[in-house]
Amino acid sequence: MAQLKFSRQRQALIEELAGRRDHPTAEMLYTKLKGTMPHLSLGTVYRNLSTLAQDGEILRIHTGTTDRFDAVTREHDHFCCEQCGRFLDLEKDIGGHLNAQAEALCGVRVAHHSLVFYGTCCQCQTNR
Amino acid sequence: MAQLKFSRQRQALIEELAGRRDHPTAEMLYTKLKGTMPHLSLGTVYRNLSTLAQDGEILRIHTGTTDRFDAVTREHDHFCCEQCGRFLDLEKDIGGHLNAQAEALCGVRVAHHSLVFYGTCCQCQTNR
DNA sequence: TATAATAATAGTAATCATTATTATTTTGGT
DNA sequence: ACCAAAATAATAATGATTACTATTATTATA
């Protein structure tokens, strides 16, 4: 990709993602933006999410099913509730020094990591 | 699934997986076993890997592309080389007490986690 | 501001990994 | 040997994502 050109679609995508904390999937973003941009194509959403993630402007999170996206690019970790599917940021620093630790112990060069906890969230613990 | 019945295919799958350390994909196992079981079906491989993983007999690892499988079920972490694609066990204990830590800090109930480091492996560091 | 080069789009088709369907075969208890 | 339950092979279907292509939008420049 030589150089980026502005596009309303990409701009709307960036703004929408920055305005939410629920780690939406491509489909969720598509459905939402379709409201104000009826001609928006799902392929456009995927293409922009992919390039933005490659450029480090957003975060792409692999979950085993559908990928989720996050406007917060500072490395942090996530929690996925196996009951309700909620996908939460772990605000407290948990995985902070893991990269250095893995490098020291195992002799590999670590660029980044992906850490997802699975279990039961607060709401689902009380609702039972 | 009421109760399991023996099958040659499942047995071969378990033995093959137990005998290797490269975290094969379903396709890799299929190709290998096809040599001695020409009628083996890819669906059979997937179905057995899925039930074995559900029963906790093997580990299923999501990587963003193709899932990988591991006969070692003790919770441990992995490293994926972005140069050569090697998928390695991290033998040293890195993620050991993360679950408890996440529970204490964030008030969620953690059942398990998935931790994958990405970067450059030893071989790829020297070969450049 | 008209032009031209190029990037981005919409719409659709294709791909890839995985799961579901179904008719047939295996297994294991009686 | 007989029967019910489970497993299989072969294939179709699904779901997420990427690729293709003709058209449209953006931007630098004459």
Side-chain angles (χ1 to χ4, degrees):
Chain A
M1 201 153 313
Q3 71 189 42
L4 286 220
K5 274 181 183 170
F6 172 86
S7 93
R8 289 187 308 114
Q9 291 85 339
R10 189 193 301 123
Q11 192 55 37
L13 199 50
I14 291 171
E15 284 170 11
E16 174 65 23
L17 188 59
R20 40 202 293 181
R21 285 283 107 82
D22 62 341
H23 308 80
T25 63
E27 188 79 43
M28 288 160 77
L29 290 164
Y30 170 70
T31 304
K32 177 68 189 308
L33 294 178
K34 192 86 173 172
T36 50
M37 310 177 92
H39 286 285
L40 181 66
S41 170
L42 181 55
T44 298
V45 173
Y46 270 108
R47 177 166 26 74
N48 278 303
L49 287 174
S50 293
T51 56
L52 287 169
Q54 275 178 329
D55 295 354
E57 305 224 18
I58 65 173
L59 218 65
R60 176 174 213 146
I61 309 153
H62 304 300
T63 68
T65 56
T66 314
D67 285 356
R68 320 206 54 150
F69 296 88
D70 194 339
V72 178
T73 55
R74 153 184 69 75
E75 183 156 279
H76 62 290
D77 308 305
H78 295 95
F79 175 85
C80 179
C81 179
E82 291 175 322
Q83 258 73 49
C84 68
R86 263 196 204 85
F87 204 89
L88 310 169
D89 284 314
L90 293 188
E91 289 302 342
K92 301 286 169 41
D93 184 28
I94 293 180
H97 50 286
L98 288 180
N99 291 359
Q101 201 177 337
E103 288 192 343
L105 288 176
C106 307
V108 291
R109 170 77 51 84
V110 174
H112 54 104
H113 73 251
S114 156
L115 173 53
V116 182
F117 294 92
Y118 296 87
T120 313
C121 75
C122 306
Q123 281 91 342
C124 288
Q125 278 178 67
T126 51
N127 300 347
R128 58 170 47 207
Chain B
M1 204 151 311
Q3 71 188 43
L4 285 219
K5 276 181 180 169
F6 173 86
S7 94
R8 289 187 308 113
Q9 292 84 341
R10 189 192 302 124
Q11 192 56 36
L13 199 50
I14 292 171
E15 284 170 12
E16 175 64 23
L17 188 59
R20 42 202 292 182
R21 284 284 107 82
D22 63 340
H23 308 80
T25 64
E27 188 80 42
M28 289 161 77
L29 290 164
Y30 170 70
T31 304
K32 177 68 188 308
L33 294 179
K34 191 87 172 172
T36 50
M37 311 177 93
H39 286 283
L40 181 66
S41 170
L42 181 55
T44 297
V45 173
Y46 269 108
R47 178 166 25 76
N48 279 303
L49 288 173
S50 293
T51 57
L52 287 169
Q54 275 178 329
D55 296 354
E57 305 223 19
I58 65 172
L59 219 66
R60 177 174 213 147
I61 309 153
H62 304 300
T63 68
T65 56
T66 313
D67 286 356
R68 321 208 49 151
F69 298 88
D70 193 339
V72 178
T73 55
R74 154 183 68 75
E75 183 156 276
H76 63 289
D77 308 306
H78 295 95
F79 174 85
C80 179
C81 179
E82 291 176 322
Q83 258 72 50
C84 68
R86 262 197 203 85
F87 204 89
L88 309 169
D89 283 314
L90 293 188
E91 289 303 342
K92 302 286 168 44
D93 184 29
I94 294 180
H97 51 285
L98 288 180
N99 292 358
Q101 201 178 334
E103 288 192 343
L105 287 176
C106 308
V108 291
R109 170 77 51 84
V110 174
H112 54 103
H113 73 251
S114 157
L115 173 53
V116 182
F117 294 92
Y118 296 87
T120 313
C121 75
C122 307
Q123 281 89 344
C124 289
Q125 278 178 67
T126 51
N127 298 348
R128 61 169 46 208

